[in-house]
Amino acid sequence: MGDVSFLERLHNLQDTYGYIPEKEIVSLAEEYDVPKAKIFGVISFYSMLYTEPTGKFIVRVCDSLSCYLNESDDLVRAVKDYLGIGHGETTEDKRFTLEVVECLGYCGEGPVMMINDKVYTYVSEKKALNILSNCL
Amino acid sequence: MEEKILLKEGIDIDLKGRGGDTPPAEPNINEYDFFVLEEALNLDREEIIEQIKEAYLKGRGGAGFPTGLKWEMALAEEAEQKYMICNADEAETGTFKDRYLLENVPFKVLEGIIIGAYAIGAEQAYIYMRGEYARPRNVFSKAIEEAYKQGLLGEDILGSGFNLELRLIKGAGAYICGEETALLNSIEGKRGRSRTKPPYPIQKGLFDQPTAVNNVETLASCREIIRIGAKEYKSLGTKESRGTKLVCLSGDIWKPGVYEVEFGQVTIKEIVEEYGGGTRDDAQLKFIIPGGASTSILPAEKLDIPYCYETLAQAGSSVGSGAIIVVDDSHNLFDLMVTVSRFFMDETCGTCFPCKEGNRQVNHILNKVADKGGFSKEEVEIVKSIGRTIYLSARCGLGQTSLNFIYSILKNYPDEVLLGGDKHGKD
């Protein structure tokens, strides 16, 4: 909020808790002297910040044009089937959150999947299931 | 064909070979010579700007605004604090050249940022990098850290008396933040919504102070202009398109990757066939998108034109970010339209109602059209009308360009997308 460190603080909270809990939103609102809704509004604007708990692994699968041309729709389907959840959902055991996203910037190497901070390229369905089964 | 190498400097990435899982070695600051920076800091600010103006460099992020002019205006502004911002929020579908530069030649980008800040008289700089770019962020954070240790950032850089602080800001997942005014709001810790222009960032940018926002490739190119001199730089390319451009090849192509192209010297067809190795599996090339998902398509039969700003403009499209997406004839056009339309529906910032609601409605119509396998005449009219409304009323480039892809498909392939009885209704 009028502060170059604000976004970084939100990232830090996100990294600490896996989401930004309400108590932190309340204390940020007090500190910056703005309504709680304003802080919430900023958080909800950005797709990498969450106000609800996420899984230990956030799985992002790109479905933008360049990846789509490389059959990312098959990959998306395979990952959804394997995890048993849809876009924006978290598995019951809180291991995985799935996001079907727009462009991860590895368009020459599609289809592309990102798990937390790690990017995987040329992801076949088999490779994807292998990677996911190793996320413990 | 010979690649004119300025930006890539011999470093290449074999995309097929490394498959992304084993990234190239991290660049070492001790192996890099900062002589261009030293040379630049010995010049007057005006001299640097003169060089960039003479080189006729246009912004490489997509809009193509003359960089020298931007810097000249920023320098002329009187203010206690000015800012230089490197826009590394690369997120236009098909674009990965800035990531290439950040990962492989970070010091060249760093020099560009410092030179730009010096030229406009800014003592604070930021590089705003998209949140998904974890590896480039690690590489560049380290570059900044080491640069501070070696006296290339901070006080009295290389004994020049020039001070500069540089900080990396990590984005949080929003395509719109690559738009310069949305980016400013995001750095300020707000929602990344675009601002009304004027005032332009040059007059009232970050915290209402004069601010120059330049793309990664633009800043790296500025460094190259200082290195080889404006005269030599402008001898490359054509009258309206000087120098070189990084193009990103992706889609239905054998050899996707980042290639450096001298403007005007190769045709788009040659880029696709000779650099990219042509379409995969001997499928027929259907069309290309020359500059990312927000530019209009060019059908296969219109690709025999030199790659530069003027010919692409004449052909009704744009160089954009340099993302050439190659599409063969094996795809369903409706599915492609739905995919591109969903991108804009997801990524609109929601400030301008016609862009927010218009893109949602277009996506809705396209899904319906895809199900029944064709547009009715009325549906075409509705899409066109929504498109006109967005174009006239959206205040930033995202909205204004959001229907270029859909429009250009309708225009080029009416017989393939209109329902039987409505095919004669094309205009």
Side-chain angles (χ1 to χ4, degrees), chain A residues 6-21 24 28 43 46-56 58 60 97 116, chain B residues 170 172:
Chain A
F6 188 69
L7 205 52
E8 192 171 295
R9 292 183 67 180
L10 296 182
H11 276 302
N12 289 340
L13 291 169
Q14 173 67 42
D15 291 346
T16 306
Y17 297 96
Y19 71 111
I20 303 173
E24 295 289 354
L28 283 171
I43 296 169
Y46 295 98
S47 66
M48 297 178 81
L49 302 174
Y50 302 81
T51 52
E52 297 292 329
T54 53
K56 185 177 167 195
I58 299 180
R60 297 187 166 94
T97 295
N116 293 343
Chain B
K170 176 185 170 187

Side-chain angles (χ1 to χ4, degrees), chain A residues 86-131:
Chain A
H87 165 67
E89 295 176 354
T90 299
T91 53
E92 260 179 42
D93 61 2
K94 300 275 181 274
R95 238 168 92 207
F96 295 103
T97 295
L98 175 63
E99 304 252 316
V100 180
V101 299
E102 301 294 353
C103 198
L104 292 167
Y106 289 75
C107 323
E109 302 161 74
V112 179
M113 179 167 85
M114 189 170 175
I115 300 183
N116 293 343
D117 263 358
K118 183 149 172 56
V119 173
Y120 300 88
T121 59
Y122 298 113
V123 184
S124 62
E125 291 168 46
K126 199 176 150 203
K127 183 173 169 181
L129 301 192
N130 191 24
I131 294 165

Side-chain angles (χ1 to χ4, degrees), chain B residues 233-275:
Chain B
Y233 190 86
K234 87 172 176 191
S235 73
L236 301 170
T238 66
K239 191 161 171 275
E240 294 294 321
S241 320
R242 310 283 183 171
T244 66
K245 174 88 188 77
L246 293 182
V247 298
C248 315
L249 279 178
S250 70
D252 297 315
I253 196 158
W254 283 114
K255 292 190 288 178
V258 179
Y259 298 89
E260 186 163 2
V261 170
E262 182 185 344
F263 279 118
Q265 301 304 305
V266 289
T267 65
I268 298 177
K269 200 171 167 194
E270 284 170 324
I271 293 175
V272 171
E273 288 178 358
E274 294 184 36
Y275 291 151

Side-chain angles (χ1 to χ4, degrees), chain B residues 70-91:
Chain B
K70 191 183 267 186
W71 288 7
E72 188 176 55
M73 291 191 295
L75 177 62
E77 288 290 325
E78 281 181 30
E80 270 182 38
Q81 176 80 280
K82 289 183 194 178
Y83 297 102
M84 161 57 66
I85 292 172
C86 175
N87 184 348
D89 198 51
E90 177 174 69

Side-chain angles (χ1 to χ4, degrees), chain A residues 1-8 10-11 15 37-38 40-49 60 62-71 73 87 100-110 114 116-122 127 131, chain B residues 15-16 19-21 91-96 99 103 126 130-134 137 167 169-174 176-177 186-193 207 250-252 256 280 289 325-327 331 335-336 339-340 342-343 346-347 349:
Chain A
M1 303 265 99
D3 177 346
V4 292
S5 301
F6 188 69
L7 205 52
E8 192 171 295
L10 296 182
H11 276 302
D15 291 346
K38 198 134 192 173
F40 185 86
V42 173
I43 296 169
S44 62
F45 183 85
Y46 295 98
S47 66
M48 297 178 81
L49 302 174
R60 297 187 166 94
C62 176
D63 199 22
S64 274
L65 187 61
S66 296
C67 280
Y68 179 81
L69 294 170
N70 287 285
E71 274 107 42
D73 50 340
H87 165 67
V100 180
V101 299
E102 301 294 353
C103 198
L104 292 167
Y106 289 75
C107 323
E109 302 161 74
M114 189 170 175
N116 293 343
D117 263 358
K118 183 149 172 56
V119 173
Y120 300 88
T121 59
Y122 298 113
K127 183 173 169 181
I131 294 165
Chain B
L15 293 177
K16 282 281 180 208
D21 296 346
E92 175 75 28
T93 301
T95 316
F96 44 102
R99 178 173 62 81
E103 286 186 338
Y126 295 100
R130 64 179 302 194
E132 294 88 345
Y133 273 5
R137 182 169 66 246
R167 183 163 164 180
I169 309 277
K170 176 185 170 187
I176 182 64
C177 289
S186 187
I187 295 182
E188 291 181 8
K190 300 172 184 160
R191 297 169 74 115
R193 302 199 306 189
F207 302 115
S250 70
D252 297 315
R280 279 182 312 210
I289 307 172
I325 305 173
V326 179
V327 182
H331 304 280
D335 291 346
L336 299 180
T339 301
V340 171
R342 194 201 53 224
F343 178 84
D346 285 350
E347 298 296 349
C349 77

Side-chain angles (χ1 to χ4, degrees), chain B residues 408-420:
Chain B
S408 55
I409 293 276
L410 283 169
K411 194 171 156 221
N412 282 285
Y413 304 108
D415 291 345
E416 293 175 48
V417 296
L418 288 178
L419 282 173

